[in-house]
Amino acid sequence: MARYYDCGPFSLWRFTALNTFWYISIAALVCALFTLLIAYRVWYHAAAAQQVQRNNRAITPAITTTWPITITVGILTPLPNEAAHYLAEGLSELLSVSSRTRYIIAPLPGDNTRVTLFEQAQHAGSTCDILVTFGVTCANIAAEAAEFLQHIPVIKAGLRNEQITRLLPHEFNTIILTTEYDYQQQVALFQKIKPLAKEVCILYRLHNEHIREEVLALSNALQEAHLKTHAHVLAHNTHIDNQLSAFSTSYDTLFLMPHTVTATNVQELVTYCTTKKITLCAQELDVVTLGAALGFGKSEKELGAHIGHLIRNLCEGKKKYPTGTIMTHYPNYHCVINKKKCYAQGIELSPEYITMLEQVHIVNHQRTPYPQYRHDQSPPAANRNV
């Protein structure tokens, strides 16, 4: 028997309502999915942008960072001297070549007091993304200010290998960069400029904790070159010419260590050396401009370039450096000659030879400018990051 279905007006209305409800449900579901997709995209971009905030900084490469970004590099140095200037210059030149990251160099010099340096380290904690320290004192100040630096990567530079044991432990991400100074390069060129030199005096001031080690290293290099060598500590409150006159030993060359003289007493030293026909050889290029016969320096600029190389690796996702990595840097020097003072201070060279020697860049070709980082040297157990 055949069946018949009621197709009256009420049934037709019910069928139409169900279809309408079905289409409205599908449309609502599509709108919900589209809204969730938009919300996810907004959240994803916000989370990616937050990765560059200081609270999330780390020494691991920022591979997922949204480009371009701006990174501030602080340089903590004891004084705003020539070394600090060249260090910042080397960093700036190397980091300026980056096409996707803008680096801002922020010098943080102290007045050679721990209080000021600690305040500068605190300031770095709120304004910098990476901190570079120069020397043992600044490295240890950064360790003392670890609470304020939080997770800022710290690169400790301007250190000798033997000074690693003097470093305070640092709780956060740290790279240690030691420098092996090679004074033999300087002495070899000095002997070419002044082959008749026989007796040398090293003049220095006890302005930091490792100056004696630098004096000893230079003294050893001079003695290996068969030059009789003396050392004299400069006092603070007396005239330089009076001190040198009271020094009973005679010499034909005076090596001036960094940060020994100031602008107020450098002319006394230049006048004394010119009068006595003593060749004044400085470890700073600025002193050559002020009257030294020749000077060696500018190695800090190359050190700054080396540090900049590490910073780009860290921030642009090129290489990962485990905390506590120790690297060694071998510096080269620039030699600058003051023509007029050479003759006045006992160097008998032809003008042609002096012209050829001007702006000499001493290079050790057996050493690579960027050696690979190593793990065969680690900080002492007491200094390791736990």
Side-chain angles (χ1 to χ4, degrees):
M1 179 181 294
R3 294 184 179 181
Y4 296 91
Y5 292 93
D6 184 10
C7 294
F10 178 78
S11 297
L12 182 61
W13 176 85
R14 185 174 59 180
F15 179 78
T16 303
L18 289 174
N19 285 344
T20 303
F21 178 78
W22 172 256
Y23 288 120
I24 291 175
S25 299
I26 293 176
L29 181 60
V30 171
C31 291
L33 291 174
F34 186 74
T35 303
L36 288 174
L37 179 61
I38 293 176
Y40 174 78
R41 294 290 297 177
V42 172
W43 172 83
Y44 176 83
H45 286 291
Q50 287 178 357
Q51 290 183 6
V52 300
Q53 293 181 358
R54 294 186 179 87
N55 291 338
N56 296 327
R57 286 189 298 259
I59 206 167
T60 55
I63 298 175
T64 58
T65 300
T66 303
W67 310 104
I69 61 173
T70 299
I71 294 177
T72 302
V73 180
I75 308 177
L76 186 65
T77 57
L79 292 167
N81 50 33
E82 181 180 287
H85 167 74
Y86 283 127
L87 185 66
E89 185 177 330
L91 263 169
S92 180
E93 288 187 9
L94 193 286
L95 296 176
S96 64
V97 302
S98 178
S99 59
R100 56 180 183 173
T101 305
R102 177 172 175 257
Y103 292 95
I104 299 176
I105 307 301
L108 301 169
D111 57 1
N112 220 22
T113 63
R114 296 182 61 85
V115 174
T116 304
L117 288 172
F118 190 84
E119 291 174 350
Q120 292 284 48
Q122 285 181 298
H123 181 65
S126 60
T127 59
C128 300
D129 301 290
I130 294 178
L131 180 62
V132 177
T133 66
F134 187 73
V136 176
T137 300
C138 291
N140 287 335
I141 289 290
E144 294 172 4
E147 176 185 355
F148 303 95
L149 296 176
Q150 298 182 358
H151 294 283
I152 295 178
V154 178
I155 300 177
K156 299 180 178 181
L159 305 167
R160 282 184 167 272
N161 274 319
E162 56 268 23
Q163 293 175 329
I164 294 178
T165 57
R166 303 183 193 174
L167 295 179
L168 296 176
H170 199 283
E171 297 180 3
F172 305 112
N173 304 310
T174 304
I175 294 177
I176 299 173
L177 187 59
T178 63
T179 301
E180 284 297 317
Y181 294 98
D182 187 0
Y183 290 108
Q184 283 80 5
Q185 300 179 60
Q186 296 186 20
V187 175
L189 184 57
F190 166 71
Q191 287 188 306
K192 292 180 180 178
I193 298 173
K194 188 174 181 179
L196 299 179
K198 296 181 179 179
E199 201 160 351
V200 177
C201 177
I202 302 173
L203 184 65
Y204 66 100
R205 191 191 297 273
L206 290 172
H207 57 82
N208 58 46
E209 65 276 7
H210 67 277
I211 187 64
R212 291 185 185 275
E213 297 169 2
E214 301 302 322
V215 171
L216 180 61
L218 176 58
S219 178
N220 291 338
L222 290 167
Q223 291 176 8
E224 289 174 4
H226 308 291
L227 293 169
K228 191 174 181 181
T229 307
H230 312 276
H232 181 67
V233 181
L234 188 65
H236 288 268
N237 299 321
T238 58
H239 292 286
I240 293 180
D241 49 1
N242 293 339
Q243 291 188 61
L244 294 177
S245 298
F247 191 49
S248 58
T249 305
S250 61
Y251 46 88
D252 55 66
T253 304
L254 186 66
F255 269 81
L256 187 66
M257 297 303 289
H259 323 312
T260 300
V261 295
T262 63
T264 57
N265 57 22
V266 65
Q267 289 305 318
E268 291 181 4
L269 180 61
V270 170
T271 301
Y272 177 83
C273 290
T274 303
T275 302
K276 301 290 185 178
K277 290 287 184 180
I278 296 173
T279 302
L280 181 58
C281 180
Q283 294 290 317
E284 296 171 295
L285 300 185
D286 286 348
V287 183
V288 181
T289 305
L290 297 174
L294 66 153
F296 300 94
K298 215 173 182 178
S299 63
E300 294 83 9
K301 183 176 180 179
E302 185 184 301
L303 176 62
H306 187 119
I307 297 172
H309 180 76
L310 301 181
I311 292 174
R312 286 201 64 190
N313 283 348
L314 289 173
C315 299
E316 299 179 31
K318 297 181 178 181
K319 184 178 291 187
K320 180 184 294 186
Y321 299 98
T323 294
T325 294
I326 301 174
M327 304 177 68
T328 301
H329 172 250
Y330 300 94
N332 299 318
Y333 304 92
H334 288 259
C335 176
V336 177
I337 296 176
N338 189 326
K339 288 183 181 180
K340 296 180 179 179
K341 294 300 179 180
C342 277
Y343 300 111
Q345 295 178 10
I347 296 181
E348 300 294 337
L349 290 176
S350 65
E352 294 79 9
Y353 190 43
I354 292 182
T355 301
M356 182 181 67
L357 289 172
E358 278 189 309
Q359 298 293 337
V360 173
H361 185 195
I362 306 176
V363 180
N364 189 335
H365 295 284
Q366 296 179 351
R367 289 168 175 165
T368 57
Y370 300 118
Q372 295 293 323
Y373 70 91
R374 66 186 194 275
H375 304 286
D376 57 320
Q377 273 194 321
S378 300
N383 292 342
R384 289 178 186 160
N385 184 16
V386 180

